[in-house]
Amino acid sequence: MNGAELRHYGLWIGGYEVPSEGDSRIPVIDPSTGEPWSSIADATDADVAKAVASALATGESGWRTSAALRSKSLFRLAELIEEHADELAACDVRDNGKILRETANQIRGVPRWYRYFAGLADKVQGYTVPSDRPSAVNFTVREPLGVIACITAWNSPLLLVAVKLAPALAAGNAAVLKPSEFASSSTLEFARLCIEAGMPQGVVNVVTGGPVAGEALIRHPGIAHVNFTGSPRVGAIVAAAAGSALKGVTLELGGKSPNIIFEDAPMDAAIAGVLGGMFAAAGQSCVAGSRVLVQRSVYEEVVTRLRARADAILLGDPRNAQTEMGPIANRPQLEKIEYYVGAALEDGAKLVTGGAKPQDPALASGLYYLPTIFADVPAECRLAREEVFGPVMAIIPFTDEDEALKIANSTDYGLASGVWTSDLSRAHRMAQKLQSGSVFINTYRAMEPGMPVSGFKQSGIGHENGMDAVLEFTQTKAIWVETEPAAADPFKMRI
Ligand code: NAD
């Protein structure tokens, strides 16, 4: 594709696609071909200021006060996403190379979030508080925070936007979205639909770019709260920047999630679940079950079966309906995978399969990497402790429940855990003792708008989904009314 054919995206501010005030642009590479297919603007401080001003201006539009308007437009938005699902999915596939059948499936799931939170928009309520003074009427109201900055990663662009934006809008806030510089196009196309859905101009704005745009957004005094999904390294920078400006922050970060197979597991389901938990989306999933803990009595059998299934994974063009694993999303991510494969070999893990780029010449220009399995991975190995965010599985043996728990809980992360067993009591014991925000029993990598998502330990701060997510985007105001005002001692507190 030559330069003239590239799609050059602008920013989305106040209900229009507008050019950046600056002239710096970022080329966007299709990872399945290695060729650029579009470019995005590297937004400047002035662009960010315009986007925040446009969001602040919606305070007069009735958006803040009319739950009926919010609910109606969120329901309509859900329909519009369904109508445009194919175009939106095509954008993501070009940006991040995730296979079309997974991307399309995810985007068809996204409207559930807008419908769920549309239904909650008129249920954001305060309460009355009984007082000792009969003449007092004390009550609370929940008010929106104002303008929310939503900064997102590249792996599931519109799902990550939905879990932030749907509750934020339901609560009456406006938003400025800052998608990843590797995958912005679907978020820009999506923002158009918000206008079509009847939202006032400026309720949803999109600025594009990398760290410079992200930092400008967090710093801007008009931003009330920062909701971030990304790596722990950047999460710490975001939290520090938000904290120094005394802004609230929600962080959804990385993981090194254990997927634990006991000898009494429903074995076919466990193999399929563990395989999908690792190699779906080429391992570029925050909840990827990248540590597979296997009871010793079934260890050899499980390693053999996982290897056979991994070797049969069809690697290829993400648009092909048969493909099971597409390319890695971008070059820095591919380099990270290569680093961790090297580290695992140095640290004494046993390479079972993969560990290289595929030989197939048809895949040579794309960023492909083979499904990779290491077995007998020592607990202190970097591969056992640090997030790769790629198709590299670490299999670790254990003897009994206590040892499984000890290994499972031994990293700094706590995003998700999986347990495969037919013993109900064991399943519940494990669920109580695993240190992670989600525990999947005999299933894995499931998501629904009503089920909370949160990271324990260094996997995050705050939570998403459910009514709690709406409340996280509000602040409580306590209102005191005295129905029989009387002069009182001005030097004594009314307590
Ligand atoms: P990243 O941290 O590199 O980038 C995330 C976002 O932050 C991008 O939009 C990026 O432009 C922006 N950014 C980068 N530097 C910034 C700065 N200094 N200030 C403000 N913004 C900045 O992460 P990534 O590589 O895009 O995504 C992969 C990571 O995301 C993995 O660690 C993965 O586990 C995590 N993730 C977590 C969840 C979850 O729900 N917990 C979901 C998806 C991805």
Side-chain angles (χ1 to χ4, degrees):
M1 194 178 268
N2 67 41
E5 291 169 326
L6 301 185
R7 167 76 162 95
H8 298 293
Y9 282 98
L11 307 169
W12 187 265
I13 298 178
Y16 297 98
E17 183 170 355
V18 297
S20 166
E21 299 278 326
D23 52 14
S24 172
R25 299 198 62 81
I26 302 173
V28 183
I29 312 292
D30 178 336
S32 68
T33 62
E35 296 291 323
W37 78 274
S38 67
S39 79
I40 54 164
D42 195 3
T44 63
D45 283 15
D47 295 325
V48 167
K50 258 170 54 183
V52 178
S54 138
L56 284 168
T58 57
E60 307 305 313
S61 66
W63 182 253
R64 226 179 123 84
T65 48
S66 173
L69 168 64
R70 299 198 299 271
S71 184
K72 189 171 164 209
S73 45
L74 287 168
F75 275 123
R76 178 72 188 119
L77 181 59
E79 287 170 5
L80 287 165
I81 295 168
E82 274 162 357
E83 286 165 26
H84 293 269
D86 291 346
E87 298 137 60
L88 295 168
C91 286
D92 279 345
V93 174
R94 298 201 91 166
D95 276 344
N96 67 16
K98 201 196 270 196
I99 59 172
L100 182 59
R101 75 172 197 259
E102 158 77 343
T103 305
N105 172 57
Q106 214 178 63
I107 290 179
R108 280 188 215 106
V110 159
R112 290 187 67 188
W113 267 258
Y114 292 100
R115 292 199 173 99
Y116 178 90
F117 287 104
L120 290 182
D122 58 3
K123 294 162 193 74
V124 184
Q125 55 204 28
Y127 47 90
T128 56
V129 182
S131 168
D132 275 353
R133 285 186 287 272
S135 59
V137 180
N138 292 347
F139 63 100
T140 68
V141 289
R142 288 272 189 174
E143 295 185 347
L145 296 173
V147 182
I148 312 297
C150 302
I151 302 178
T152 43
W154 44 258
N155 61 326
S156 300
L158 289 182
L159 181 59
L160 299 182
V161 164
V163 297
K164 299 170 179 351
L165 190 65
L169 296 185
N173 298 283
V176 179
L177 314 179
K178 210 298 287 165
S180 165
E181 60 273 43
F182 293 108
S184 294
S185 62
S186 62
T187 305
L188 287 160
E189 300 289 355
F190 157 85
R192 293 173 187 275
L193 304 181
C194 296
I195 293 291
E196 233 182 286
M199 291 180 196
Q201 291 171 335
V203 164
V204 175
N205 306 275
V206 185
V207 293
T208 54
V212 174
E215 283 174 21
L217 188 58
I218 298 166
R219 243 190 353 257
H220 194 289
I223 293 294
H225 184 95
V226 180
N227 190 312
F228 171 85
T229 294
S231 61
R233 182 188 69 78
V234 177
I237 297 170
V238 167
S244 70
L246 300 180
K247 294 176 185 182
V249 66
T250 307
L251 302 176
E252 294 294 340
L253 308 176
K256 190 77 208 178
S257 300
N259 217 342
I260 308 169
I261 302 183
F262 285 97
E263 60 190 1
D264 60 4
M267 208 45 92
D268 290 349
I271 297 292
V274 163
L275 186 97
M278 180 72 264
F279 296 119
Q284 301 163 119
S285 168
C286 56
V287 294
S290 52
R291 287 186 297 150
V292 176
L293 278 47
V294 185
Q295 196 154 22
R296 285 185 193 278
S297 47
V298 290
Y299 188 76
E300 290 310 323
E301 177 201 342
V302 168
V303 172
T304 305
R305 288 186 67 177
L306 283 173
R307 179 196 175 147
R309 189 59 191 86
D311 285 347
I313 286 177
L314 198 62
L315 204 62
D317 184 337
R319 291 160 200 86
N320 183 333
Q322 312 308 318
T323 302
E324 293 177 318
M325 221 175 91
I328 304 307
N330 53 66
R331 193 159 291 284
Q333 191 52 45
L334 180 62
E335 285 165 6
K336 192 173 175 196
I337 290 163
E338 288 174 330
Y339 164 79
Y340 277 106
V341 167
L345 292 169
E346 274 170 29
D347 294 347
K350 185 171 109 196
L351 181 63
V352 174
T353 191
K357 292 177 184 156
Q359 297 293 314
D360 184 351
L363 303 180
S365 53
L367 304 178
Y368 291 91
Y369 201 84
L370 289 173
T372 298
I373 298 179
F374 282 93
D376 306 346
V377 177
E380 63 286 357
C381 176
R382 280 164 282 180
L383 184 65
R385 318 195 68 78
E386 297 170 25
E387 184 184 49
V388 179
F389 215 56
V392 187
M393 178 186 286
I395 309 185
I396 304 171
F398 68 87
T399 304
D400 55 19
E401 226 173 280
D402 284 347
E403 194 188 7
L405 270 170
K406 196 165 154 242
I407 299 170
N409 290 337
S410 67
T411 72
D412 294 335
Y413 291 111
L415 194 57
S417 312
V419 179
W420 300 87
T421 178
S422 300
D423 180 337
L424 185 66
S425 305
R426 166 181 279 160
H428 281 285
R429 276 196 302 275
M430 293 295 289
Q432 284 174 25
K433 293 177 186 164
L434 283 163
Q435 296 165 355
S436 61
S438 299
V439 178
F440 298 104
I441 308 286
N442 293 335
T443 182
Y444 203 75
R445 213 169 160 256
M447 206 169 164
E448 304 216 353
M451 276 296 267
V453 170
S454 63
F456 285 13
K457 301 197 273 186
Q458 292 190 8
S459 288
I461 296 177
H463 46 254
E464 299 191 310
N465 285 351
M467 187 58 175
D468 286 352
V470 182
L471 300 182
E472 194 146 318
F473 288 113
T474 65
Q475 50 199 346
T476 300
K477 182 179 279 177
I479 300 179
W480 303 69
V481 181
E482 178 52 65
T483 59
E484 291 176 15
D489 182 345
F491 304 104
K492 274 170 45 191
M493 189 180 187
R494 292 168 206 262
I495 192 169

